[in-house]
C-alpha cells in the first residue's frame, strides 16, 4: 500500500529562504518583448531572493549547469525558472534539482512566454513578467521538500479480451516473466480475426495466426485464461486494482453461431475451428465469481464489423446482398475450382463490391445509425480486405466478373497498393461515387439477367449514370468499437467522439489511458488490421511490464494533507471530495478523547483542492500548493513595494 | 442510364487493346496531352472500361487528333499505354466502318 515520508510540518519562514531566480530569453521569444535585465533587477529586490541570472536558453546545458552550480555551492536552496510554459520544461528543471542533489519540489516555474511575451508587448510585458517572477519567488520561499508517493504494485496483469490484441499482449507479458490473467467474454479465443478466413494484405490464414497465438497462450504457465467471463467489479488504482470476474454460461446468437461452427468442424477443445476460434475449455454450467488483484490492466476489448441497416444498399431486402465477412464464409463453403463462382448452387457471374459501408459517414448527408450516431472515421482495413477478396475471386473463378464501387481507394500500408494494382491487372472494373451519391442497389427488371442492378453516378465516367447487373452485392463494412459501456463507467477511461477508447496522446503516449495503470491494445482504440493490432498489443505489453517489473510506482506528491492540530472533524471535505475513497472520517484519540478526524488516502487523491475550499478550519491543504503559498503569491502580485 | 458492358473490353483484345482496365483514371495522360482536348485520351480509355461502344463510335473522329507524341504512354503510372490504346481503337473503328 501507499507509503509516504511526512514532510517537515513547518514551512521555513521567508527570511531564511535562499531563492535563486533564473530568467530565460528563449532566444528572442521572451527577450524581444520583455526586458529580461530589468526583470532580473526587480527580482533581486524581492524578499528571499539571493541571486537573479539570465540566459539566452535556460534549458540548454550551460543554462542548466549555471543552476546546478548555484545549488551545489549552497548559494541557493529554492529555484525559480522563468521561461516557457511548465508543460514544456517543468520536468526538465525538476531533474536539474535532482542532479544538483536537491529536492525536486523546491522548484517553482514562472511562464513568461505563453502568459507574457506571446500576448503582451512593451513596458506592460516587462511589468507583468516582473510580477509573475516575484510571485513565483515568494511561493518558492515557502516550499518544503516533498517525496513522491510510492505505491507497491501487485505482480499481475489483467488483460480484458481474448482476441488478437489480448492474446498477443498476454503472450508478450508472459514472455517478460509477468503473471497474466486473460478474461474473455465469449467461449472463444481469437476474437474477430478468428472468424475470418484469410487476412489482407499478405494472405496468411486466420487459422495459422490464431492457432499460433492461442496455442502459445494456453501452453504458457504464467497465463491464466478465463473464457465466458466478464469483469463485473472494479476498484482501486495503479498497482492495486481489485477486480471481480464473473464466469457464466454464454448467451446470445453470436456465441450460438460460433458454437455451432465448432460442432460442424469436429474440432476439439484447444483446437482452432474455422469461423469460430479456439475454445480452450468447456462451458461453465453455473455462474462462478473470481476475485483477483492486478497491478495493471490492458483493455483489448476489440471491435465488431458494422452491421448495415435493413435496406442500406438493399441489405436484408435482397438475399443477394451480403457483408464482406458474410461473403468470406460463403466463399469458404464454395468449391475451390471452377470457371465461375457458385454460391449455394447459384452461379455468380457478376459480383459488385461496395466500399465505405458504415464508414466515413457525414452529418447532414448520411442517415444516423441505430443509437443516433454516425461513423465519421475511415475504417482503414476494408479497402485492402475488399480488394483482397476481389483478387481471390478473379484468380480462382476467372469467369466471375468483379465490379468495384469506391468513394476513395485507401490502400495505405505495406502490400496494400499492390492489391489495388493486381485487381486492375485481373480486370476488375472500378467505379467511383461521391459522398451522398452512393450507388443504389435495385431489383433488375430484366428477368433473364442477374437479380440485381447497381446504379451509380460515376465520377470516372464524367458523372454519367451507369448501371451494372449483379448476381451478388458485397458490402465492405467498417469497424465499430464493441459496446463496453459498463467497463467504461467502472474504470472511467476516456472515450473519443468516435466511441473508440482514447489514449493520452496519439503520438507520444499512444497506448496509455488517462487512468494510470490502464492501457489500450488493438481495435478498442481505432480500426486496425491484424498486423497493426499485434504491434499495438506489443506496445501495451511493454508499458504494462515496465510497471510490473519495477515493483512500485512513484506519483507526484501534490495531494492533500490534513493538519490534525486544526481539524475538527466537520466532514465538509469528505462531502466535497470528487475522488471516491480519497477522504474519509476516522475515529482517533486526541487529548484523551475519542474524536473523528479526516484522513487522506494519498494514492486516490487527485490534488484538485475541492476540500481545501470548503474546510472552515483551513485544516487541509494540497502539498506544494498550500493556501499559505497562494497568499504569498497574491501578496507579491498586488504589492508595489518591490515592483515598480 | 447506360448499362455497363464488360464484354466490350474482351472484344477489343483482337485489335491490340488489352491494357485498358489497368488504367486507374488518374488523368495524367489527359494533363500531359498537348491536344488539351476535353479528357482525351482518358475519356476513350474509360469508355473501353465500361463498354460504352456507342460513345466511342460517335466520337471516333477524336481518335485521329492524336499526334503520336508518346507523352501519355511515357508518363502513365500504371503502364496502361494510353497511346497504344488509341491506336488500337482506331483499328477497331476502321474495322467497324469496313463491316458496315
Amino acid at each position: 500500500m501507499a507509503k509516504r515520508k511526512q514532510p517537515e510540518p513547518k514551512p521555513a519562514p521567508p527570511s531564511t529562504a535562499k531563492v535563486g531566480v533564473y530568467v530565460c530569453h528563449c532566444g528572442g521569444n521572451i527577450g524581444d518583448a520583455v526586458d529580461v535585465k530589468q526583470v532580473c533587477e526587480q527580482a533581486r529586490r524581492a524578499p528571499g531572493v539571493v541571486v537573479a541570472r539570465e540566459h539566452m536558453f535556460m534549458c540548454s546545458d550551460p543554462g542548466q549547469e549555471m543552476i546546478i552550480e548555484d545549488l551545489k555551492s549552497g548559494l541557493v536552496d529554492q529555484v525559480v525558472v522563468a521561461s516557457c510554459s511548465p508543460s514544456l520544461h517543468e520536468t526538465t528543471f525538476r531533474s536539474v534539482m535532482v542532479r544538483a542533489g536537491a529536492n525536486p519540489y523546491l522548484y517553482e516555474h514562472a511562464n513568461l512566454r505563453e502568459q507574457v511575451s506571446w500576448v503582451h508587448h512593451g513596458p506592460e510585458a516587462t511589468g507583468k513578467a516582473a510580477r509573475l517572477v516575484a510571485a513565483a519567488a515568494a511561493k518558492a520561499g515557502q516550499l518544503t521538500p516533498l517525496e513522491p508517493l510510492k505505491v507497491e504494485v501487485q505482480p499481475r496483469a489483467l488483460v480484458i479480451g481474448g482476441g488478437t490484441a489480448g492474446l498477443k499482449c498476454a503472450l508478450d507479458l508472459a514472455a517478460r516473466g509477468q503473471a497474466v490473467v486473460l478474461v474473455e467474454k465469449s467461449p472463444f479465443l481469437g476474437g474477430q480475426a478468428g472468424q475470418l478466413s484469410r487476412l489482407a494484405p499478405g494472405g496468411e490464414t486466420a487459422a495459422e495466426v490464431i492457432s499460433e497465438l492461442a496455442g502459445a497462450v494456453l501452453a504458457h504457465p504464467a497465463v491464466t485464461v478465463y473464457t465466458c467471463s466478464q469483469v463485473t467489479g472494479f476498484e482501486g488504482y495503479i498497482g492495486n486494482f481489485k477486480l471481480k470476474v464473473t464466469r457464466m454460461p454464454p448467451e446470445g446468437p453470436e456465441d450460438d453461431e460460433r458454437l455451432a461452427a465448432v460442432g460442424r468442424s469436429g474440432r476439439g477443445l484447444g483446437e482452432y475451428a474455422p469461423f469460430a476460434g479456439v475454445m480452450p475449455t468447456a462451458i461453465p454450467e453455473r455462474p462462478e465469481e473470481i476475485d483477483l488483484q492486478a497491478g495493471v490492466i490492458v483493455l483489448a476489448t476489440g471491435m465488431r464489423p458494422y452491421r448495415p441497416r435493413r435496406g442500406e444498399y438493399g441489405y436484408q431486402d435482397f438475399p443477394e446482398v451480403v457483408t464482406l465477412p458474410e461473403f468470406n464464409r460463403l466463399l469458404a463453403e464454395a468449391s475451390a475450382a471452377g470457371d465461375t463462382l457458385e454460391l449455394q448452387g447459384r452461379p455468380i457471374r457478376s459480383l459488385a463490391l461496395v466500399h465505405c459501408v458504415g464508414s466515413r459517414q457525414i452529418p447532414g448527408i448520411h442517415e444516423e445509425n441505430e443509437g443516433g450516431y454516425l461513423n465519421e472515421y475511415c475504417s482503414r482495413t476494408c479497402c485492402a480486405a475488399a480488394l483482397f477478396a476481389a483478387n481471390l475471386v478473379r484468380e480462382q473463378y476467372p469467369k466471375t466478373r468483379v465490379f468495384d464501387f469506391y468513394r476513395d481507394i485507401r490502400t495505405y500500408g505495406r502490400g496494400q497498393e499492390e492489391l489495388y494494382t493486381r485487381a486492375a491487372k485481373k480486370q476488375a472494373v472500378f467505379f467511383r461515387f461521391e459522398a451522398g451519391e452512393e450507388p443504389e442497389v435495385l431489383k433488375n427488371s430484366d428477368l433473364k439477367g442477374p437479380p440485381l442492378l447497381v446504379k451509380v453516378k460515376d465520377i470516372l465516367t464524367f458523372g454519367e449514370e451507369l448501371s451494372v447487373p449483379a448476381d451478388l452485392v458485397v458490402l465492405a463494412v467498417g469497424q465499430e468499437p464493441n459496446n463496453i459501456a459498463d467497463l467504461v463507467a467502472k474504470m472511467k477511461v476516456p472515450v473519443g467522439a468516435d466511441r473508440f477508447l482514447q489514449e493520452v496522446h496519439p503520438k507520444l503516449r499512444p497506448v496509455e489511458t488517462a487512468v494510470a495503470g490502464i492501457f489500450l491494445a488493438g481495435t478498442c482504440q481505432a480500426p486496425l488490421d491484424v498486423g497493426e493490432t499485434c504491434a499495438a498489443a506489443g506496445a501495451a505489453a511493454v508499458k504494462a511490464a515496465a510497471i510490473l517489473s519495477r515493483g512500485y510506482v512513484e506519483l507526484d506528491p501534490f495531494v492533500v494533507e490534513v493538519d490534525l492540530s486544526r481539524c475538527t472533524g466537520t466532514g465538509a471535505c469528505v462531502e466535497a471530495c470528487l475522488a471516491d475513497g480519497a477522504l474519509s472520517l476516522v475515529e482517533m484519540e486526541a487529548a484523551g478523547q475519542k474524536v473523528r478526524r479526516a484522513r487522506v488516502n494519498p494514492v486516490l487523491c487527485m490534488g484538485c483542492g475541492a476540500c481545501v475550499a470548503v474546510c472552515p478550519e483551513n485544516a487541509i491543504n494540497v502539498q506544494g500548493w498550500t493556501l499559505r503559498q497562494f497568499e504569498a503569491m497574491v501578496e507579491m502580485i498586488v504589492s508595489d513595494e518591490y515592483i515598480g | 442510364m447506360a448499362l455497363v458492358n464488360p464484354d466490350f473490353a474482351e472484344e477489343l483484345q483482337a485489335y491490340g487493346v488489352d491494357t485498358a482496365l489497368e488504367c486507374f483514371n488518374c488523368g495524367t495522360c489527359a494533363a500531359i496531352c498537348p491536344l488539351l482536348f476535353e479528357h482525351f485520351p482518358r475519356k476513350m480509355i474509360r469508355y473501353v472500361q465500361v463498354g460504352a461502344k456507342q460513345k466511342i463510335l460517335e466520337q471516333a473522329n477524336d481518335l485521329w487528333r492524336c499526334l503520336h507524341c508518346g507523352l501519355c504512354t511515357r508518363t502513365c503510372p500504371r503502364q496502361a499505354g494510353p497511346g497504344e490504346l488509341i491506336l488500337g481503337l482506331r483499328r477497331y473503328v476502321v474495322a467497324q466502318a469496313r463491316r458496315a
Side-chain angles (χ1 to χ4, degrees):
Chain A
M1 285 304 284
K3 283 181 198 156
R4 190 172 101 224
K5 268 193 211 161
Q6 289 298 319
E8 298 298 314
K10 287 283 161 212
S15 54
T16 65
K18 293 192 285 181
V19 180
V21 171
Y22 301 88
V23 187
C24 180
H25 286 257
C26 196
N29 259 312
I30 293 169
D32 287 354
V34 172
D35 185 340
V36 172
K37 276 204 172 15
Q38 199 186 324
V39 171
C40 284
E41 222 164 86
Q42 299 211 336
R44 285 186 198 108
R45 281 188 247 146
V49 174
V50 291
V51 66
R53 303 186 199 275
E54 57 184 297
H55 199 280
M56 195 47 84
F57 288 105
M58 202 59 77
C59 58
S60 67
D61 282 349
Q64 297 190 19
E65 282 306 317
M66 187 166 78
I67 302 172
I68 289 174
E69 233 166 78
D70 285 353
L71 281 162
K72 280 192 172 164
S73 71
L75 180 62
V76 304
D77 287 336
Q78 296 89 1
V79 168
V80 171
V81 171
S83 61
C84 49
S85 90
S87 73
L88 193 62
H89 273 314
E90 190 178 59
T91 19
T92 310
F93 293 112
R94 282 205 203 280
S95 73
V96 164
M97 304 290 290
V98 172
R99 270 159 42 223
N103 185 291
Y105 299 100
L106 296 179
Y107 173 81
E108 184 61 21
H109 199 100
N111 183 352
L112 299 194
R113 199 177 69 176
E114 282 83 343
Q115 289 181 358
V116 181
S117 64
W118 281 359
V119 285
H120 305 295
H121 299 282
E124 288 84 2
T126 301
K128 179 173 175 186
R131 275 175 202 277
L132 288 181
V133 169
K139 185 188 168 194
Q142 301 268 352
L143 288 173
T144 53
L146 301 174
E147 292 298 326
L149 303 174
K150 231 177 180 184
V151 179
E152 271 179 44
V153 170
Q154 289 288 334
R156 189 177 299 103
L158 171 72
V159 177
I160 305 177
T164 310
L167 290 171
K168 172 74 177 160
C169 188
L171 198 57
D172 282 9
L173 277 163
R176 282 178 180 82
Q178 304 299 340
V180 185
V181 173
L182 179 66
V183 172
E184 161 61 38
K185 194 158 86 170
S186 80
F188 299 94
L189 298 177
Q192 290 296 334
Q195 300 171 66
L196 299 172
S197 43
R198 290 178 66 190
L199 309 174
E204 304 82 8
T205 63
E208 59 179 300
V209 170
I210 297 304
S211 298
E212 185 177 330
L213 275 178
V217 163
L218 292 172
H220 206 295
V223 188
T224 312
V225 175
Y226 295 117
T227 49
C228 304
S229 300
Q230 297 190 49
V231 173
T232 47
F234 168 90
E235 59 179 290
Y237 43 85
I238 181 170
N240 290 277
F241 293 112
K242 289 189 181 65
L243 302 125
K244 201 176 278 300
V245 172
T246 308
R247 248 191 127 218
M248 58 184 123
E251 42 191 48
E254 270 170 53
D255 287 339
D256 292 348
E257 242 172 67
R258 287 163 87 180
L259 289 167
V262 177
R264 281 196 302 275
S265 73
R267 305 285 165 88
L269 292 179
E271 286 182 306
Y272 174 80
F275 301 107
V278 174
M279 194 165 131
T281 48
I283 285 167
E285 282 171 11
R286 63 191 78 77
E288 171 192 0
E289 278 196 348
I290 303 143
D291 288 312
L292 61 96
Q293 289 188 304
V296 290
I297 296 175
V298 179
L299 293 173
T301 52
M303 62 86 180
R304 59 183 172 199
Y306 173 77
R307 191 173 164 77
R309 293 184 305 274
R310 171 178 284 277
E312 189 176 359
Y313 296 103
Y315 190 71
Q316 289 175 324
D317 285 348
F318 306 116
E320 300 87 359
V321 180
V322 296
T323 66
L324 187 54
E326 289 165 352
F327 174 65
N328 282 326
R329 282 170 198 231
L330 293 170
L331 206 55
E333 289 161 16
S335 124
D339 276 353
T340 309
L341 169 64
E342 260 191 49
L343 295 180
Q344 296 164 332
R346 205 166 61 85
I348 309 295
R349 297 191 179 87
S350 165
L351 185 152
L353 267 166
V354 184
H355 289 237
C356 291
V357 178
S359 302
R360 304 176 68 203
Q361 296 169 325
I362 301 172
I365 291 185
H366 294 115
E367 206 180 314
E368 285 179 351
N369 301 306
E370 222 176 289
Y373 56 80
L374 287 167
N375 297 334
E376 294 183 44
Y377 53 88
C378 164
S379 287
R380 301 170 82 247
T381 55
C382 6
C383 275
L387 291 169
F388 185 87
N391 291 338
L392 204 74
V393 168
R394 288 298 297 152
E395 280 158 20
Q396 283 187 12
Y397 312 99
K399 288 271 164 68
T400 298
R401 294 186 195 278
V402 172
F403 300 94
D404 185 293
F405 297 82
Y406 69 88
R407 207 168 117 192
D408 291 297
I409 295 278
R410 292 185 169 177
T411 45
Y412 61 90
R414 189 173 56 169
Q416 296 195 6
E417 185 67 12
E418 286 83 345
L419 291 176
Y420 183 26
T421 311
R422 204 159 98 212
K425 285 240 188 255
K426 295 288 169 193
Q427 315 273 289
V429 185
F430 289 87
F431 304 87
R432 186 174 188 188
F433 58 88
E434 292 266 16
E437 295 183 321
E438 280 74 17
E440 273 180 83
V441 178
L442 309 163
K443 195 159 187 60
N444 192 358
S445 51
D446 177 4
L447 295 177
K448 283 175 287 177
L452 300 176
L453 209 56
V454 183
K455 199 170 84 172
V456 65
K457 192 178 152 201
D458 180 31
I459 301 177
L460 302 181
T461 317
F462 324 103
E464 284 180 40
E465 198 161 88
L466 299 176
S467 50
V468 180
D471 294 299
L472 190 76
V473 174
V474 177
L475 308 178
V477 290
Q479 301 187 10
E480 289 185 314
N482 270 322
N483 183 358
I484 50 160
D486 52 336
L487 280 182
V488 167
K490 282 191 185 85
M491 299 184 175
K492 300 191 173 73
V493 282
V495 178
D498 54 9
R499 294 173 295 124
F500 286 94
L501 296 177
Q502 203 169 38
E503 65 286 318
V504 174
H505 189 290
K507 293 185 172 59
L508 300 175
R509 295 171 71 186
V511 296
E512 294 161 73
T513 69
V515 183
I518 302 186
F519 301 95
L520 302 176
T523 52
C524 60
Q525 187 182 10
L528 300 173
D529 74 11
V530 172
E532 292 164 339
T533 295
C534 283
V542 171
K543 294 301 287 185
I547 291 173
L548 292 176
S549 56
R550 198 174 178 205
Y552 65 91
V553 283
E554 280 190 347
L555 307 175
D556 267 336
F558 304 126
V559 295
V560 292
E561 187 187 28
V562 179
D563 181 349
L564 285 176
S565 67
R566 291 182 162 208
C567 179
T568 56
T570 63
C573 55
V574 180
E575 223 164 279
C577 182
L578 301 173
D580 287 345
L583 276 172
S584 53
L585 281 181
V586 292
E587 297 242 327
M588 59 174 73
E589 293 250 332
Q593 288 201 324
K594 275 209 164 156
V595 289
R596 284 159 73 80
R597 295 287 181 260
R599 181 189 279 169
V600 187
N601 181 346
V603 178
L604 290 177
C605 173
M606 305 185 292
C608 69
C611 52
V612 181
V614 297
C615 178
E617 309 294 338
N618 188 15
I620 194 160
N621 264 295
V622 181
Q623 298 189 80
W625 300 95
T626 62
L627 279 183
R628 185 197 283 232
Q629 289 162 359
F630 277 119
E631 278 161 12
M633 292 178 87
V634 173
E635 266 166 35
M636 285 313 283
I637 287 174
V638 299
S639 156
D640 287 327
E641 198 176 329
Y642 311 101
I643 314 291
Chain B
M1 183 175 76
L3 211 57
V4 169
N5 174 12
D7 298 328
F8 184 54
E10 277 170 26
E11 190 185 333
L12 284 173
Q13 287 185 359
Y15 302 91
V17 177
D18 55 0
T19 51
L21 284 164
E22 292 186 29
C23 160
F24 62 179
N25 290 280
C26 65
T28 303
C29 54
I32 202 152
C33 178
L35 293 181
L36 297 173
F37 174 66
E38 291 184 352
H39 289 278
F40 192 85
R42 181 177 80 82
K43 188 175 192 175
M44 290 295 173
I45 299 165
R46 184 60 186 165
Y47 287 152
V48 175
Q49 289 184 335
V50 299
K53 193 195 300 198
Q54 213 48 46
K55 293 260 187 196
I56 290 174
L57 292 175
E58 280 164 16
Q59 300 171 29
N61 279 351
D62 293 346
L63 293 168
W64 272 268
R65 291 173 183 256
C66 168
L67 304 169
H68 306 295
C69 68
L71 280 174
C72 54
T73 293
R74 216 185 305 158
T75 51
C76 174
R78 276 281 182 95
Q79 283 84 46
E84 285 65 32
L85 292 175
I86 295 299
L87 285 178
L89 283 176
R90 286 186 189 177
R91 287 191 285 275
Y92 168 76
V93 170
V94 169
Q96 293 298 301
R98 282 206 184 115
R99 210 174 292 165

